[in-house]
Structure formats: C-alpha cells, structure tokens
Amino acid sequence: MSAVVITGTGLYQPPHTITNDELVVSFNAYVDSFNAHHAAEIEAGTVQALTHSSSEFIEKASGIKQRYVIDKEGVLDPKRMYPRFVERSDDQLSLMAEIAVDAAKKALAQAGKTGADVDAVICSSANMQRAYPAMAIEIQQAIGAKGYGFDMNVACSAATFALEQAANAIKSGSAKCVLVVNPEITSAHQEWKDRDCHFIFGDVCTATIVESADTATGPEQWEVLSTHLATQFSNNIRNNFGYMNRSEDSDPLARDKTFRQEGRKVFKEVVPIAAAHIEAQLGALKLEPTQVRRFWLHQANQTMNQLVIKKLIGGEATQDIAPLILDEYANTASAGSVIAFHTHRADLAKGDLGVICSFGAGYSVGSLVLRKR
C-alpha cells in the first residue's frame, strides 16, 4: 500500500485585525452602557454589574495579542458586538465557501495540483453556515473537483478528525487526492459581551491536501505515520444554537446560543487528556516524545500548551518545539494546529518527526504523527 502524504497547505487570512486595546475600548464602552442602563436593578441587587476588561488581563489569561476578523466594525460597535455580514442569495457563493476556496487554491498550488485532481472534499469546522446543501459540495463545485464531498463538525478537533478521514479514504481507495478545508468564522459564534471569553476567537480558514505518495507531484511530502482520535463527553464547552431552537420557542439571542465554557475545568481536565493521548499514540509507534522534532498543538491557550509539552518531554515549550501562533491569530477553533503546521515547518529536515494535535469540546482529541520525506 502506498504511503499517505500531506503535500500542501493553504491559509486564508481575513483583511481586518482587532488588537486587544481596540477590543477593550469597545467592550468597556458596552459595560459602561449596560451598567448605566441597569443602574436601578444593580442597586437593588437583582442585576449584577459588569466589570471592565483590560489588555493585561487578556494577554495574561491567554497569550493572545490580536485576532483577524472578516468584519471589524460590527464587532467593535458597543451597541451591536457581533459581526455584520451581508446576506447572499442562493445562487451566490456562500461566505464560508468563499474563504475555503481561497485557502484551497493556495494548498493546491503548493501541492502542484489543480481542482480537477481532487476527488474528495471534506469541510470540517466548529460551526457550519447552514444545514444543507453541504458546504463541501459547494466548495467541490467551485474548485472543479470530482468525486464527493461532505461536512463534519467536531468543534476544535474538526481538522484533525477530518484529516484522519482523508487518510482513511486514501488507504481504502475511495479517493486518491483529498482536500480538507476548515473555514472558521468564529466571530459569529463568539460572545463578545462576556468578559471571560470576549477575546478568545478569530476568523481564518485552512486547507490541506492529503494524497497517495504514488500521485504526489509537489516538492514537499509529509508521510502520515499514524492518526489517533478520542472523545469523552463533557458539557464544559457548549453552544446550544441549532435548528430546533425555533421549535423550542427559545430565545435565539440567549447566552447559551453562543460559545461558552467552564474555562478552569477545561484547563484542568484537557491538559492531562491531551498529553496522555499523544504519549499513547507515540508509544504504539515505539517512539518517545523526545524523538519528536516539533509539536503543532491546538491554539487555545498559551499556558495549556506549555503544560502539555512539559508533561510529554519534561522541558520547556519553546517556540522551536511547540510554535505558538495564537498571539497573532487568537483561538481559531479547529484551524489553529493546522496554521501552526502551515507556518512553522519549512526549517525541518528530511526524516524529522512532528505531531499535529487538537483538543476541544466534546471533549475531543485528534492527532497525527508525521515524518518529512
């Protein structure tokens, strides 16, 4: 059986940035307005006053310094606090497909492929723009791909879970060249009015070409030595928005219809799960964590990644061992580990080992062990 290889990646980066300072000015203006409007209830103790945020708080809590967004004006409007998108007609390319096609074309160029070489498209992200038709099929048509396409959702592990499906498709013979895209328009499901999480997310899209080594034509190949997925149910990260909300007569703008988490619980529980997951996968390959040249980890929290690496290798998570990109991009849900791989692999040598790993809601953990050919 031919080896399964990753031959190209692509990245769509939105046109706008929001720095922590800009975000804090907007958030604090919203807080002041809320507290003034509810002054009587706050005085009576029936409503809790909101607290200002700060750039220092954000960076200390997460390591994030800025984020990219598709729309900046709506997010920073204290009277709105979420992006403003223009609704498109059914015969127009959807926003999610548009950014996926951008990233896909870059990945195809890197792999030395065209859309016609692709015979499967997997669109996998934390939130889909619509229920159907599948985003993947729209993207398939837009790039001129053959075969089939389908959507997936495994929250922040959506990319790694999709990459395993792509690798399995190659191994089974159902496809020879698979495009995996991860369009993450996280600004639309972020709760920008909640101090505990208003700074977390940013928009982006990644794309990855997975194919048989027999058909690889690009200058770079990363052999997929192993994939490993695991899930364990938890309510500590949750979003209740969905098509049944109308039938439940629930408020579509209620707090539970956007991202929410029990951050401290997630931190405490996910770090050991992720570290043990990677260690077990490497052990099955008779490899030690110290033999891995680079770890491209999920980009949610700087301290979380540092602790995962410390558990694995007993040392510091330097930029060389586990590159951090969330300071620039923030948490981009499933795309984070792929961005790290995309931007921090050029210096590795033939034979070097690397691990792509993501973890998030579910709980879910997905990882790939790669070797540069």
Side-chain angles (χ1 to χ4, degrees):
M1 181 185 295
S2 174
V4 176
V5 293
I6 291 173
T7 55
T9 56
L11 173 65
Y12 164 79
Q13 182 176 296
H16 306 292
T17 60
I18 298 177
T19 66
N20 286 348
D21 286 347
E22 290 176 302
L23 189 64
V24 165
V25 168
S26 172
F27 178 82
N28 289 348
Y30 161 74
V31 167
D32 291 342
S33 175
F34 177 92
N35 288 345
H37 182 73
H38 295 281
E41 295 99 320
I42 291 171
E43 178 68 22
T46 57
V47 172
Q48 186 174 357
L50 300 183
T51 305
H52 278 184
S53 185
S54 71
S55 295
E56 294 75 19
F57 160 70
I58 293 171
E59 191 165 350
K60 182 178 180 181
S62 64
I64 295 169
K65 297 180 180 179
Q66 66 161 49
R67 69 283 299 145
Y68 294 97
V69 292
I70 294 173
D71 174 71
K72 181 174 182 174
E73 183 180 353
V75 170
L76 293 183
D77 181 353
K79 296 180 180 179
R80 182 178 176 89
M81 303 289 280
Y82 53 89
R84 182 178 284 106
F85 301 143
V86 177
E87 185 176 8
R88 300 183 181 189
S89 66
D90 290 353
D91 58 359
Q92 289 181 291
L93 191 67
S94 66
L95 179 57
M96 188 171 274
E98 179 183 291
I99 67 174
V101 168
D102 180 280
K105 288 180 176 179
K106 294 169 182 174
L108 287 165
Q110 193 176 92
K113 300 291 184 185
T114 68
D117 296 312
V118 174
D119 48 13
V121 177
I122 304 174
C123 181
S124 193
S125 65
N127 288 272
M128 288 297 167
Q129 182 171 341
R130 61 171 183 264
Y132 45 80
M135 302 304 307
I137 302 174
E138 184 181 12
I139 296 160
Q140 174 193 14
Q141 179 186 50
I143 66 170
K146 305 182 297 292
Y148 61 90
F150 62 89
D151 293 347
M152 289 179 57
N153 179 340
V154 201
C156 287
S157 294
T160 49
F161 273 60
L163 288 170
E164 180 180 85
Q165 307 318 307
N168 288 344
I170 302 299
K171 292 175 184 176
S172 72
S174 68
K176 292 183 179 179
C177 180
V178 182
L179 167 67
V180 174
V181 286
N182 317 108
E184 293 289 6
I185 308 178
T186 60
S187 60
H189 70 88
Q190 160 82 313
E191 183 45 83
W192 298 95
K193 297 178 181 178
D194 187 330
R195 182 179 183 271
D196 288 340
C197 67
H198 78 107
F199 54 86
I200 292 179
F201 289 108
D203 298 333
V204 80
C205 182
T206 51
T208 308
I209 301 297
V210 184
E211 61 180 317
S212 167
D214 289 344
T215 66
T217 53
E220 184 181 14
Q221 295 183 27
W222 287 86
E223 183 177 357
V224 180
L225 299 181
S226 169
T227 61
H228 185 35
L229 312 179
T231 54
Q232 174 184 316
F233 185 74
S234 170
N235 269 323
N236 288 331
I237 309 173
R238 193 172 178 110
N239 183 336
N240 286 335
F241 183 81
Y243 78 97
M244 291 177 64
N245 296 156
R246 182 181 67 169
S247 299
E248 297 165 342
D249 294 321
S250 61
D251 180 1
L253 299 180
R255 179 64 187 90
D256 72 322
K257 304 306 189 297
T258 50
F259 168 86
R260 57 198 170 97
Q261 69 171 353
E262 296 288 340
R264 291 179 179 83
K265 289 182 180 179
V266 172
F267 190 101
K268 181 179 178 180
E269 295 170 5
V270 169
V271 166
I273 291 173
H277 180 95
I278 295 171
E279 189 171 31
Q281 183 180 12
L282 292 170
L285 294 171
K286 301 189 184 309
L287 294 171
E288 295 293 332
T290 51
Q291 293 177 265
V292 176
R293 177 66 181 80
R294 185 157 295 160
F295 294 89
W296 300 285
L297 300 181
H298 176 52
Q299 303 287 314
N301 183 283
Q302 180 177 1
T303 305
M304 180 179 286
N305 285 10
Q306 290 172 340
L307 288 176
V308 169
I309 294 301
K310 186 173 182 179
K311 284 180 175 293
L312 286 170
I313 66 173
E316 182 184 355
T318 64
Q319 187 70 0
D320 184 55
I321 295 295
L324 195 75
I325 57 91
L326 93 158
D327 56 338
E328 178 183 356
Y329 290 87
N331 183 339
T332 51
S334 73
S337 57
V338 182
I339 298 174
F341 175 67
H342 173 79
T343 56
H344 292 282
R345 71 172 190 265
D347 61 315
L348 269 60
K350 182 178 179 179
D352 279 348
L353 297 172
V355 172
I356 298 175
C357 182
S358 60
F359 32 88
Y363 294 128
S364 56
V365 185
S367 55
L368 296 85
V369 179
L370 307 178
R371 178 174 61 204
K372 189 171 184 179
R373 289 164 64 95

